[in-house]
Amino acid sequence: MKRLVPWFLVCGLLAGPSAQAALNVGAPAPDFSAPASLGGDVYTFKLNEALKQGPVVLYFFPAAFTQGCTIEAHNFAEATDEYKSLGATVIGVSTDNIDTLKKFSVSECRNKFAVAADGDGKIMKAYDAVHDRRPEYAQRVSYVISPDGKILYEYTDMSPESHVANTMRALRDWKAKQK
């Protein structure tokens, strides 16, 4: 069972600077499947299946219901229709359990996109998204993965503010090159 940490500790400890460790653009995206929730409904998210539909925006966040993660989820929710218009699927990943993420998917993700549970941290380790000072949490890292399974774009910043704008720009640039 995951131990609960007061929100102010998570926000304070995770808001500081962190190391820039992430997969390189052009690297193969590690395949994964994980329990996920969209609108409170649980299913198994499979990256290889999602990539058959188009690019995937994969973002890692430290902990559901913390201030920064709530802001980021709201931002992704507001942009979901635009992501869909570009053919992209959005998936958020944290080490929270699926019961917590079921609630988070409804309230903070506003039933717009799925969030996946990485309880053992294997996905965040595969994507070099482990927080350097608090390894039980993910660092705030966003990736855009092309349908051929390659990293198109990576953005690491513990501030939640620019992840949507940056991944959206990367998707638009990629889409323009596809024509």
Side-chain angles (χ1 to χ4, degrees), residues 32-149:
F32 69 91
S33 63
S37 180
L38 174 60
D41 295 326
V42 176
Y43 71 102
T44 300
F45 177 87
K46 296 178 181 178
L47 179 64
N48 63 353
E49 292 296 318
L51 288 171
K52 291 176 184 175
Q53 309 303 311
V56 171
V57 176
L58 167 64
Y59 85 93
F60 292 88
F61 61 99
F65 298 107
T66 58
Q67 184 178 9
C69 298
T70 294
I71 290 167
E72 188 173 33
H74 288 178
N75 291 346
F76 273 106
E78 288 173 15
T80 299
D81 290 339
E82 191 171 350
Y83 282 117
K84 285 181 182 175
S85 75
L86 294 167
T89 300
V90 174
I91 180 80
V93 175
S94 79
T95 58
D96 291 297
N97 65 46
I98 195 63
D99 289 333
T100 299
L101 292 176
K102 279 173 56 175
K103 296 171 193 157
F104 192 71
S105 76
V106 171
S107 62
E108 308 314 315
C109 303
R110 299 177 175 160
N111 300 320
K112 293 283 201 165
F113 66 93
V115 283
D118 183 20
D120 58 10
K122 285 183 181 176
I123 303 167
M124 70 178 184
K125 287 174 189 156
Y127 279 85
D128 285 337
V130 177
H131 194 278
D132 61 327
R133 291 186 294 166
R134 297 294 306 264
E136 66 272 24
Y137 294 107
Q139 185 158 260
R140 196 176 309 280
V141 180
S142 295
Y143 290 99
V144 178
I145 304 168
S146 65
D148 68 355

Side-chain angles (χ1 to χ4, degrees), residues 141-157:
V141 180
S142 295
Y143 290 99
V144 178
I145 304 168
S146 65
D148 68 355
K150 302 279 188 207
I151 303 293
L152 281 173
Y153 180 79
E154 173 277 323
Y155 180 72
T156 302
D157 191 335

Side-chain angles (χ1 to χ4, degrees), residues 4-23:
L4 297 175
V5 177
W7 70 268
F8 58 86
L9 284 177
V10 172
C11 291
L13 291 171
L14 299 180
S18 56
Q20 297 287 324
L23 299 180

